[in-house]
Amino acid sequence: MGLLALGTALDWPDAKQQAHLVRAWGIKQLLEIWNKAKGKERDAMLWGDEIEYLVVNYSKDEPKVLLSLRQADILKALADSKTLKVTGDCAPGTEANADAGNVTLPVFHPEFGRFMLEATPGKPWGIDFKDLLTVEADMKLRRCIAKDHMLANEHPITLTTFPRIGSPGVFTEPSYPVSGPKLRSQFVPDEIANPHIRFPTLAANIRSRRGRKVQVNVPVFRDENTPWPWKDPTVNYDLHNWPEDDDVRNGAAPDNFIHMDAMAFGMGSCCLQITFQAKNITEGRKMYDQLSPLGPILLALTAATPVYKGFIADTDVRWNQISRAVDDRTPEELGEKPLKNDRWRIPKSRYASNSTYISTDSRLRPEYMDPNLVIDPEIKQQLLDGGMDDRLATHFAHLFIRDPIVIFNEDLQELDLTKTDHFENIQSTNWQHMRFKPPPADNSIGWRVEFRPMEIQITDFENAAFSVFIVLITRAILSFDLNFYIPIVKVDENMETAHARNANLEKKFWFRKNPFPVRTTRRGGSASRSASGTSTPNSGSSRPATPPLGPVEDEYRLMSVNEVINGTAYAKATSKEVTEDAEEGEEFPGLIPLVESYLDSVNMDVATRCGLARYLDLIRKRASGELWTAAKWIREFIAKHPGYKKDSVVSEEITKDLVGAVIEIGEREKRGLGIDDLIGQVPDLEKLFGGFLKGKSPCGGGQAALEQKLKNDDAKANGVKRKFNEEE
């Protein structure tokens, strides 16, 4: 969350009258950036992460755990602490490093929920591999600093959602009545949102624009004693405070769905986001495209959201719930009514998976594009006339079909081309799973790409592992010129698939069969680059210089997450289910073997390589099912709790014990202790973490132990790569 502007926010009827002006000025600002920065070169390859926390009030002596609404007080305490001195119990060395100035101190930001905090590193990470091994310590430092500026019973935790937000009774501290004038929710109070005028205005104008409250309906998990058909017992059909209270009487809360009615149920979710700075616009556009098909895979692999409003859901991830929580489309735009007052039917919420590819890559076939993409043709023509190429103009013309939701009256006095406020008004409220970010108006930083789908994980170790994994994938993509293109509609389909329970193990996703570029050999034939990065010539000079393209449908097939992450051979060896979709010659190398091939190609000391291998091990085991996702662990924690009645209800007692376990895990990690003492007390920890958090570094034991570990890891990976290369 960036800096929050101050001003007089317009209610929707007034904002609607100014929407066209904001779009027009936004395009002028975009063209100003484009013409200033399109030739920008040699920017440093930097990256950064964003960690979001829930802040809870928890005490072993109290009967329930509550969300703390003291975001403003905590941020003020952090801002007033000029050195952000760490005084609490942190991992050994963390406190000393922070006090000695050996690390750049983190930055804390507000978020939508008054119970949330966002933390980012104090400066971007560089390309040095040793930088990657400092990410985890920096994340631990952020958590330590945040905790040290909270009350004794407040804790920053990295659960995606609070299990009982919106449940009847008290779930916040302090507590407020529901059904306020901004959210008009019968489940959460207005005071749950950040009081800055942007946030309540955003929620109110989304509701006003669509003509009713948002409808966030999540299928409930059907357990042995769950009544069926299931009717959400928290819905009040007799509430008559606002016109929108009629929504539930008009079918907004269908049977067998958990019903939620406010932006807080989506934007009150925490996630892990990674932003990369490219060396130039061409590289940025390439990263945007090639990371897009990976989004659903990482969403499923990081699944951590199986509970809403005190009920177990039949989904594992947050994405669609946030999408519905900020969906401002009118009945006409949704296709529920014929177009009369609106310009077009819009297939997706403004929080959705990507609808465009934008690279200048010659391998980007027209068949990969969305055939039903909605754009504003007038805006596209403006961009073309301003010198932008067709592909990027199409991208921005699609984003600008949306109305600006929050407009400040003070910003409408005159157009200022030294700012990007009007452009960002539209750009920043298109919450797609990838975001392409132009430089700011002063051209001080480069073209950036934001990877947005991942769920937040319980520990800093896990969050560091997934952050580092994505960074290494980008390096492999650029080093090997990898190609992950599939039709964008298949990416959409994969995003839906990722929501299923245990999707990482039980579902399959469309993915490209061969990620390697086809090279033209000196003899005129073609060559396909192998996992080692070398070119292996095919049959010979009789082949044409440019092999003819076959049907797009032949380029991809269904794969499990295990197969995508670890490769076909590994998946066959570790999964009970045989991969039947892979025909001879179609074995996929796996993202981890590709990353390991990249690491093999660079100079790196053995200790750094071992540290990175530890992160890859976690990803590998989560993908294979050897270790559980957080969603699976939370489900099992609830199912095994003595207070659970197998009726899909997550009680206050269960919630307190779950949050207490998460706090204890985080406290032990923060202090550099293992979780050995918690094994047996907290169910199934070994199935969530394996041996990763047992207090002993797998890279300990001296040089010989390090080399032996790497030898073992490489043997596993090389078996996969060797088999793939032989078949290539």
Side-chain angles (χ1 to χ4, degrees), residues 154 172-173 198 240 252 272 322 347 351 353 414 419 422 595 641 661-662 695 703:
E154 289 177 327
T172 65
E173 174 59 41
R198 167 181 164 82
H240 294 275
L272 171 66
I322 308 179
Y351 195 114
S353 53
E414 60 179 345
K419 295 181 178 180
H422 299 295
V595 165
H641 194 281
V662 169
Q703 184 76 10

PDB file of all heavy atoms in Angstrom, residues 154 172-173 198 240 252 272 322 347 351 353 414 419 422 595 641 661-662 695 703:
ATOM      1  N   GLU A 154      -0.866  -8.184  22.046  1.00  0.00           N
ATOM      2  CA  GLU A 154      -1.073  -8.090  20.594  1.00  0.00           C
ATOM      3  C   GLU A 154       0.033  -8.849  19.863  1.00  0.00           C
ATOM      4  O   GLU A 154       1.196  -8.820  20.267  1.00  0.00           O
ATOM      5  CB  GLU A 154      -1.075  -6.629  20.145  1.00  0.00           C
ATOM      6  CG  GLU A 154      -2.310  -5.865  20.592  1.00  0.00           C
ATOM      7  CD  GLU A 154      -2.263  -4.408  20.192  1.00  0.00           C
ATOM      8  OE1 GLU A 154      -1.155  -3.826  20.151  1.00  0.00           O
ATOM      9  OE2 GLU A 154      -3.344  -3.832  19.945  1.00  0.00           O
ATOM     10  N   THR A 172     -13.768  -8.152  17.422  1.00  0.00           N
ATOM     11  CA  THR A 172     -12.748  -7.114  17.354  1.00  0.00           C
ATOM     12  C   THR A 172     -12.591  -6.448  18.718  1.00  0.00           C
ATOM     13  O   THR A 172     -13.496  -6.493  19.555  1.00  0.00           O
ATOM     14  CB  THR A 172     -13.112  -6.027  16.323  1.00  0.00           C
ATOM     15  OG1 THR A 172     -14.290  -5.339  16.755  1.00  0.00           O
ATOM     16  CG2 THR A 172     -13.311  -6.610  14.943  1.00  0.00           C
ATOM     17  N   GLU A 173     -11.448  -5.839  18.908  1.00  0.00           N
ATOM     18  CA  GLU A 173     -11.183  -5.040  20.101  1.00  0.00           C
ATOM     19  C   GLU A 173     -10.626  -3.690  19.660  1.00  0.00           C
ATOM     20  O   GLU A 173      -9.552  -3.635  19.059  1.00  0.00           O
ATOM     21  CB  GLU A 173     -10.183  -5.768  20.999  1.00  0.00           C
ATOM     22  CG  GLU A 173      -9.719  -4.963  22.203  1.00  0.00           C
ATOM     23  CD  GLU A 173     -10.844  -4.534  23.134  1.00  0.00           C
ATOM     24  OE1 GLU A 173     -11.746  -5.360  23.368  1.00  0.00           O
ATOM     25  OE2 GLU A 173     -10.805  -3.390  23.605  1.00  0.00           O
ATOM     26  N   ARG A 198      -9.935   7.327   1.857  1.00  0.00           N
ATOM     27  CA  ARG A 198      -9.883   6.487   0.662  1.00  0.00           C
ATOM     28  C   ARG A 198     -10.652   5.185   0.858  1.00  0.00           C
ATOM     29  O   ARG A 198     -11.378   4.736  -0.038  1.00  0.00           O
ATOM     30  CB  ARG A 198      -8.425   6.178   0.296  1.00  0.00           C
ATOM     31  CG  ARG A 198      -8.270   5.054  -0.738  1.00  0.00           C
ATOM     32  CD  ARG A 198      -6.814   4.773  -1.042  1.00  0.00           C
ATOM     33  NE  ARG A 198      -6.651   3.492  -1.705  1.00  0.00           N
ATOM     34  CZ  ARG A 198      -6.815   3.266  -2.993  1.00  0.00           C
ATOM     35  NH1 ARG A 198      -7.174   4.264  -3.787  1.00  0.00           N
ATOM     36  NH2 ARG A 198      -6.642   2.059  -3.503  1.00  0.00           N
ATOM     37  N   HIS A 240     -33.669  -4.123   8.355  1.00  0.00           N
ATOM     38  CA  HIS A 240     -34.238  -3.127   7.455  1.00  0.00           C
ATOM     39  C   HIS A 240     -33.622  -1.750   7.690  1.00  0.00           C
ATOM     40  O   HIS A 240     -34.311  -0.734   7.640  1.00  0.00           O
ATOM     41  CB  HIS A 240     -35.756  -3.041   7.644  1.00  0.00           C
ATOM     42  CG  HIS A 240     -36.482  -4.284   7.247  1.00  0.00           C
ATOM     43  ND1 HIS A 240     -36.867  -4.560   5.956  1.00  0.00           N
ATOM     44  CD2 HIS A 240     -36.881  -5.358   7.991  1.00  0.00           C
ATOM     45  CE1 HIS A 240     -37.493  -5.732   5.909  1.00  0.00           C
ATOM     46  NE2 HIS A 240     -37.512  -6.236   7.145  1.00  0.00           N
ATOM     47  N   ALA A 252     -29.517 -13.038  -2.457  1.00  0.00           N
ATOM     48  CA  ALA A 252     -28.068 -12.825  -2.388  1.00  0.00           C
ATOM     49  C   ALA A 252     -27.350 -13.892  -1.574  1.00  0.00           C
ATOM     50  O   ALA A 252     -26.130 -14.043  -1.710  1.00  0.00           O
ATOM     51  CB  ALA A 252     -27.768 -11.448  -1.805  1.00  0.00           C
ATOM     52  N   LEU A 272       1.223 -12.539   0.062  1.00  0.00           N
ATOM     53  CA  LEU A 272       2.647 -12.347  -0.170  1.00  0.00           C
ATOM     54  C   LEU A 272       2.821 -11.904  -1.615  1.00  0.00           C
ATOM     55  O   LEU A 272       2.415 -12.615  -2.535  1.00  0.00           O
ATOM     56  CB  LEU A 272       3.404 -13.654   0.083  1.00  0.00           C
ATOM     57  CG  LEU A 272       4.880 -13.695  -0.323  1.00  0.00           C
ATOM     58  CD1 LEU A 272       5.705 -12.741   0.532  1.00  0.00           C
ATOM     59  CD2 LEU A 272       5.421 -15.122  -0.201  1.00  0.00           C
ATOM     60  N   ILE A 322     -11.791 -12.239  -2.724  1.00  0.00           N
ATOM     61  CA  ILE A 322     -11.404 -10.836  -2.865  1.00  0.00           C
ATOM     62  C   ILE A 322     -12.004 -10.267  -4.141  1.00  0.00           C
ATOM     63  O   ILE A 322     -12.476  -9.124  -4.170  1.00  0.00           O
ATOM     64  CB  ILE A 322      -9.874 -10.678  -2.874  1.00  0.00           C
ATOM     65  CG1 ILE A 322      -9.247 -11.378  -1.669  1.00  0.00           C
ATOM     66  CG2 ILE A 322      -9.505  -9.195  -2.869  1.00  0.00           C
ATOM     67  CD1 ILE A 322      -7.732 -11.282  -1.636  1.00  0.00           C
ATOM     68  N   PRO A 347     -16.593  -9.306 -18.524  1.00  0.00           N
ATOM     69  CA  PRO A 347     -16.610 -10.688 -18.029  1.00  0.00           C
ATOM     70  C   PRO A 347     -16.030 -10.879 -16.628  1.00  0.00           C
ATOM     71  O   PRO A 347     -16.376 -11.846 -15.953  1.00  0.00           O
ATOM     72  CB  PRO A 347     -15.759 -11.444 -19.063  1.00  0.00           C
ATOM     73  CG  PRO A 347     -15.693 -10.550 -20.252  1.00  0.00           C
ATOM     74  CD  PRO A 347     -15.776  -9.162 -19.729  1.00  0.00           C
ATOM     75  N   TYR A 351     -10.773  -7.246  -9.837  1.00  0.00           N
ATOM     76  CA  TYR A 351      -9.785  -8.084  -9.147  1.00  0.00           C
ATOM     77  C   TYR A 351      -9.902  -9.470  -9.771  1.00  0.00           C
ATOM     78  O   TYR A 351     -10.835 -10.212  -9.483  1.00  0.00           O
ATOM     79  CB  TYR A 351     -10.080  -8.136  -7.645  1.00  0.00           C
ATOM     80  CG  TYR A 351      -8.957  -8.670  -6.784  1.00  0.00           C
ATOM     81  CD1 TYR A 351      -8.300  -7.851  -5.877  1.00  0.00           C
ATOM     82  CD2 TYR A 351      -8.545  -9.994  -6.869  1.00  0.00           C
ATOM     83  CE1 TYR A 351      -7.273  -8.327  -5.075  1.00  0.00           C
ATOM     84  CE2 TYR A 351      -7.522 -10.480  -6.082  1.00  0.00           C
ATOM     85  CZ  TYR A 351      -6.883  -9.636  -5.186  1.00  0.00           C
ATOM     86  OH  TYR A 351      -5.870 -10.117  -4.402  1.00  0.00           O
ATOM     87  N   SER A 353      -7.777 -12.587 -12.681  1.00  0.00           N
ATOM     88  CA  SER A 353      -6.579 -13.014 -13.385  1.00  0.00           C
ATOM     89  C   SER A 353      -6.367 -12.130 -14.608  1.00  0.00           C
ATOM     90  O   SER A 353      -7.279 -11.444 -15.078  1.00  0.00           O
ATOM     91  CB  SER A 353      -6.712 -14.480 -13.808  1.00  0.00           C
ATOM     92  OG  SER A 353      -7.912 -14.681 -14.538  1.00  0.00           O
ATOM     93  N   GLU A 414      -6.609  20.959 -12.301  1.00  0.00           N
ATOM     94  CA  GLU A 414      -5.859  21.042 -13.553  1.00  0.00           C
ATOM     95  C   GLU A 414      -5.011  19.787 -13.711  1.00  0.00           C
ATOM     96  O   GLU A 414      -4.662  19.123 -12.733  1.00  0.00           O
ATOM     97  CB  GLU A 414      -4.964  22.286 -13.582  1.00  0.00           C
ATOM     98  CG  GLU A 414      -3.932  22.342 -12.475  1.00  0.00           C
ATOM     99  CD  GLU A 414      -3.068  23.587 -12.572  1.00  0.00           C
ATOM    100  OE1 GLU A 414      -3.088  24.234 -13.633  1.00  0.00           O
ATOM    101  OE2 GLU A 414      -2.384  23.911 -11.584  1.00  0.00           O
ATOM    102  N   LYS A 419       2.888  14.373 -12.403  1.00  0.00           N
ATOM    103  CA  LYS A 419       2.342  13.378 -11.487  1.00  0.00           C
ATOM    104  C   LYS A 419       1.765  12.214 -12.276  1.00  0.00           C
ATOM    105  O   LYS A 419       1.626  12.277 -13.502  1.00  0.00           O
ATOM    106  CB  LYS A 419       1.250  13.998 -10.613  1.00  0.00           C
ATOM    107  CG  LYS A 419       1.718  15.089  -9.665  1.00  0.00           C
ATOM    108  CD  LYS A 419       0.551  15.599  -8.828  1.00  0.00           C
ATOM    109  CE  LYS A 419       0.989  16.658  -7.834  1.00  0.00           C
ATOM    110  NZ  LYS A 419      -0.165  17.153  -7.026  1.00  0.00           N
ATOM    111  N   HIS A 422      -3.777  10.365 -11.722  1.00  0.00           N
ATOM    112  CA  HIS A 422      -4.962   9.927 -12.462  1.00  0.00           C
ATOM    113  C   HIS A 422      -4.723   8.568 -13.134  1.00  0.00           C
ATOM    114  O   HIS A 422      -5.618   7.717 -13.160  1.00  0.00           O
ATOM    115  CB  HIS A 422      -5.354  10.980 -13.494  1.00  0.00           C
ATOM    116  CG  HIS A 422      -5.695  12.307 -12.888  1.00  0.00           C
ATOM    117  ND1 HIS A 422      -6.773  12.485 -12.058  1.00  0.00           N
ATOM    118  CD2 HIS A 422      -5.066  13.509 -12.960  1.00  0.00           C
ATOM    119  CE1 HIS A 422      -6.816  13.750 -11.658  1.00  0.00           C
ATOM    120  NE2 HIS A 422      -5.791  14.389 -12.187  1.00  0.00           N
ATOM    121  N   VAL A 595      15.404 -24.383 -12.278  1.00  0.00           N
ATOM    122  CA  VAL A 595      16.114 -23.465 -11.388  1.00  0.00           C
ATOM    123  C   VAL A 595      17.470 -24.047 -11.008  1.00  0.00           C
ATOM    124  O   VAL A 595      18.495 -23.334 -10.985  1.00  0.00           O
ATOM    125  CB  VAL A 595      15.266 -23.175 -10.128  1.00  0.00           C
ATOM    126  CG1 VAL A 595      16.117 -22.536  -9.034  1.00  0.00           C
ATOM    127  CG2 VAL A 595      14.091 -22.271 -10.471  1.00  0.00           C
ATOM    128  N   HIS A 641      -9.784 -31.178  16.569  1.00  0.00           N
ATOM    129  CA  HIS A 641      -9.999 -30.431  17.815  1.00  0.00           C
ATOM    130  C   HIS A 641     -11.151 -31.072  18.594  1.00  0.00           C
ATOM    131  O   HIS A 641     -12.194 -31.396  18.026  1.00  0.00           O
ATOM    132  CB  HIS A 641     -10.325 -28.968  17.510  1.00  0.00           C
ATOM    133  CG  HIS A 641     -10.240 -28.074  18.697  1.00  0.00           C
ATOM    134  ND1 HIS A 641     -11.243 -28.002  19.654  1.00  0.00           N
ATOM    135  CD2 HIS A 641      -9.271 -27.205  19.099  1.00  0.00           C
ATOM    136  CE1 HIS A 641     -10.897 -27.127  20.585  1.00  0.00           C
ATOM    137  NE2 HIS A 641      -9.708 -26.630  20.273  1.00  0.00           N
ATOM    138  N   ALA A 661      -1.737 -21.574  18.442  1.00  0.00           N
ATOM    139  CA  ALA A 661      -0.700 -22.438  17.876  1.00  0.00           C
ATOM    140  C   ALA A 661       0.147 -21.671  16.868  1.00  0.00           C
ATOM    141  O   ALA A 661       1.385 -21.802  16.842  1.00  0.00           O
ATOM    142  CB  ALA A 661      -1.344 -23.655  17.214  1.00  0.00           C
ATOM    143  N   VAL A 662      -0.500 -20.860  16.044  1.00  0.00           N
ATOM    144  CA  VAL A 662       0.223 -20.068  15.050  1.00  0.00           C
ATOM    145  C   VAL A 662       1.153 -19.068  15.742  1.00  0.00           C
ATOM    146  O   VAL A 662       2.305 -18.873  15.319  1.00  0.00           O
ATOM    147  CB  VAL A 662      -0.773 -19.345  14.123  1.00  0.00           C
ATOM    148  CG1 VAL A 662      -0.072 -18.307  13.256  1.00  0.00           C
ATOM    149  CG2 VAL A 662      -1.508 -20.354  13.247  1.00  0.00           C
ATOM    150  N   GLY A 695      15.149 -26.560  14.555  1.00  0.00           N
ATOM    151  CA  GLY A 695      16.199 -25.903  15.322  1.00  0.00           C
ATOM    152  C   GLY A 695      17.604 -26.199  14.859  1.00  0.00           C
ATOM    153  O   GLY A 695      18.551 -25.590  15.323  1.00  0.00           O
ATOM    154  N   GLN A 703      32.103 -28.073   6.123  1.00  0.00           N
ATOM    155  CA  GLN A 703      32.186 -28.102   4.670  1.00  0.00           C
ATOM    156  C   GLN A 703      31.819 -29.469   4.102  1.00  0.00           C
ATOM    157  O   GLN A 703      31.117 -29.573   3.103  1.00  0.00           O
ATOM    158  CB  GLN A 703      33.600 -27.704   4.242  1.00  0.00           C
ATOM    159  CG  GLN A 703      33.811 -27.600   2.732  1.00  0.00           C
ATOM    160  CD  GLN A 703      33.202 -26.348   2.157  1.00  0.00           C
ATOM    161  OE1 GLN A 703      32.788 -25.471   2.903  1.00  0.00           O
ATOM    162  NE2 GLN A 703      33.133 -26.272   0.847  1.00  0.00           N
TER     163      GLN A 703
END
